[in-house]
Amino acid sequence: MSEQNQELSVEKVEEAEKIKNVANEYFKKQDYQEAINYYTQAIEINPRNAIYYGNRSYAYLRTEFYGYALADASMAIELDKTYIKGYYRRAASYMSLGKFKEALRDYEYVIKARPNDKDAKRNYTECNKIVKKIAFQKAISVKETKKKGADSINLDSMTIENEYNGPELVDGKVTLQFMKDLMEFYKNCGNLHRKYAYNILLDVKDYFMDQPSLVDVPIGDDNTFTVCGDIHGQFYDLMNIFAKNGLPSETNPYLFNGDFVDRGSFSVECIFTLFGFKLLYPNHFFMSRGNHESAMMNHLYGFEGEVKAKYTTHMAELFTEVYNWLPLAHCLNNRVVVMHGGLFSRDDVTLDEIRSIDRNRQPPDEGLMCELLWSDPQPQNGRALSKRGVGCHFGPDVTANFLKMNNLDYIIRSHEVKNDGYEVAHDGKCITVFSAPNYCDTMGNLGAFITLQGKDMVPQFTKYAAVPHPNVKPMAYANSFLSMMC
């Protein structure tokens, strides 16, 4: 430490330490943005202290800014090759970005340096399993001999046990009474019978397969339309939205804008409720794909584990098939485009190009599909590398150009926690809506949804606080490596 600080006065070193300690206190209070601000001040005073970068990396991980977390962890290691927490942070960043081979190298370093570190061994083992699984899947993918999950399901062979007392489909179809019964059943911690769960998944997959990647949604002049952002497995907050705004119906249409699952530990309840309403009101209930509707995110952040715990591995695989067919965006009244993430690294993207995206796959690391799911707005003009390490940052000029070229009024996107549940940016042309209040039971944010009148399409915002839920913590089903981040 003395060598790193030899060009700084004792007073400067002490000042940076005091600011770092303030940052630590904000971190303990789970006010990660303020912690980041103070760590940044400490770094500006003393840019040669590896701990400051390591701590800020941890705060970036908590706020899901994985690209920034990776950069800080790498800087910490560059400053101090023996700084073990730097390798931990960088491995977690790589894991969050799906770069498992790189993460494995960092975990290997940690277990060599600390052979008795149980957490490091567990994370190394889990990461190694993922690397081997990916390699195996690549090896067999060319043969395509394995039957698809949907093709291997025989509903007729599934019997309903006498002791099952939950809701039942009517001739295999969703009804309004079924949906009302299902939501009450879920509120009382029931589990929908696997036959009905599979039935819903097969039917909703068939429906989504016939949809374009960008869905056009007409809204009558006198009609109201509601847009909701991320739900993230917070079922009881989803129920609160319906309590405040009414159940979905042909006269009360909704669009849920991605990230229905993961993190929150009631993701199964959320997704079957949403899919049920999609089947009940296919032309008045809409769902966009989010970055968490992907196999790897589900493996890491809890949905896969939750489906396996409540149902089977086979069903988890079927969910992946269904998610691959979710539309990527919606255009409301030819005036407003809604996508989960944001805009593009190119200036010439048209709505027709979005419609024609081949979406039946896992999200790629670049290109239009990736950016629709991952990008974020920035206040300054132009574009920048994403704080997440995936997608891009786009400025007000990028938004204005996209709207002008496609003759649109504004865009709605989600993807980011906002203290008030929403944010209006880019001169009113880029609106963020986030519908999971007190995200992960830690963030203290409000949730929000947007209502629009077809005649003028002017957004109206409704904010709400979190409601109580059963004592199952967020991330209860998440991958074990994430325990260091939660």
Side-chain angles (χ1 to χ4, degrees), residues 22-36:
V22 173
N24 288 349
E25 291 303 312
Y26 277 109
F27 189 96
K28 291 175 185 177
K29 296 174 185 176
Q30 299 175 337
D31 188 341
Y32 303 119
Q33 190 54 57
E34 276 303 296
I36 289 168

Side-chain angles (χ1 to χ4, degrees), residues 396-407:
D397 57 330
V398 175
T399 300
N401 289 337
F402 174 78
L403 296 176
K404 181 179 180 181
M405 184 173 64
N406 290 287
N407 195 27

Side-chain angles (χ1 to χ4, degrees), residues 78-130:
E78 182 178 326
L79 291 171
D80 184 354
K81 296 292 192 296
T82 65
Y83 181 48
I84 296 299
K85 286 186 178 180
Y87 293 93
Y88 257 121
R89 304 288 181 258
R90 191 167 71 178
S93 303
Y94 278 136
M95 288 282 282
S96 300
L97 291 166
K99 298 182 178 182
F100 302 106
K101 289 184 178 180
E102 292 88 342
L104 190 62
R105 286 197 293 267
D106 282 337
Y107 283 134
E108 283 175 338
Y109 179 90
V110 174
I111 61 174
K112 287 178 181 177
R114 293 184 177 176
N116 297 321
D117 189 327
K118 293 181 180 179
D119 286 340
K121 286 183 178 179
R122 185 179 70 246
N123 292 336
Y124 171 81
T125 300
E126 179 59 34
C127 187
N128 196 32
K129 285 180 182 177
I130 295 173

Side-chain angles (χ1 to χ4, degrees), residues 175-181 183-184 187 226 238-254 256 273 277 280-281 284-285:
T175 64
L176 178 57
Q177 189 59 51
F178 170 85
M179 291 306 303
K180 291 179 177 178
D181 292 344
M183 289 184 288
E184 287 303 314
K187 289 176 186 177
T226 301
L238 173 61
M239 293 298 96
N240 189 37
I241 293 173
F242 292 156
K244 288 181 173 297
N245 196 55
L247 288 179
S249 70
E250 292 181 353
T251 58
N252 192 28
Y254 280 82
F256 281 83
T273 299
F277 277 119
L280 183 60
Y281 304 116
H284 300 87
F285 191 91

Side-chain angles (χ1 to χ4, degrees), residues 238-353:
L238 173 61
M239 293 298 96
N240 189 37
I241 293 173
F242 292 156
K244 288 181 173 297
N245 196 55
L247 288 179
S249 70
E250 292 181 353
T251 58
N252 192 28
Y254 280 82
L255 165 58
F256 281 83
N257 195 29
D259 282 13
F260 323 114
V261 300
D262 278 339
R263 296 192 177 275
S265 295
F266 304 96
S267 292
V268 164
E269 291 81 354
C270 285
I271 197 62
F272 279 121
T273 299
L274 296 174
F275 280 168
F277 277 119
K278 179 62 186 174
L279 292 173
L280 183 60
Y281 304 116
N283 298 318
H284 300 87
F285 191 91
F286 304 91
M287 300 173 69
S288 292
R289 190 175 188 174
N291 64 302
H292 275 266
E293 278 69 60
S294 72
M296 194 51 63
M297 298 298 278
N298 293 167
H299 178 73
L300 295 175
Y301 290 95
F303 183 62
E304 179 187 298
E306 185 180 342
V307 175
K308 288 179 178 179
K310 296 177 180 179
Y311 291 102
T312 63
T313 299
H314 183 248
M315 184 179 286
E317 295 170 352
L318 178 56
F319 267 110
T320 297
E321 290 184 35
V322 176
Y323 290 160
N324 282 351
W325 285 107
L326 282 165
L328 302 176
H330 292 76
C331 186
L332 311 181
N333 262 6
N334 298 313
R335 295 174 63 181
V336 178
V337 167
V338 186
M339 75 287 283
H340 179 72
L343 296 180
F344 313 102
S345 54
R346 285 172 33 211
D347 277 330
D348 57 349
V349 178
T350 65
L351 298 187
D352 282 341
E353 189 173 2

Side-chain angles (χ1 to χ4, degrees), residues 199-268:
N199 196 332
I200 288 171
L201 287 175
L202 293 176
D203 286 353
V204 83
K205 182 192 175 192
D206 286 344
Y207 185 87
F208 284 134
M209 285 175 68
D210 290 334
Q211 299 299 293
S213 290
L214 184 148
V215 177
D216 290 289
V217 181
I219 305 170
D221 283 353
D222 297 324
N223 294 341
T224 300
F225 191 89
T226 301
V227 180
C228 297
D230 303 43
I231 296 298
H232 274 301
Q234 297 184 198
F235 173 75
Y236 295 86
D237 294 307
L238 173 61
M239 293 298 96
N240 189 37
I241 293 173
F242 292 156
K244 288 181 173 297
N245 196 55
L247 288 179
S249 70
E250 292 181 353
T251 58
N252 192 28
Y254 280 82
L255 165 58
F256 281 83
N257 195 29
D259 282 13
F260 323 114
V261 300
D262 278 339
R263 296 192 177 275
S265 295
F266 304 96
S267 292
V268 164

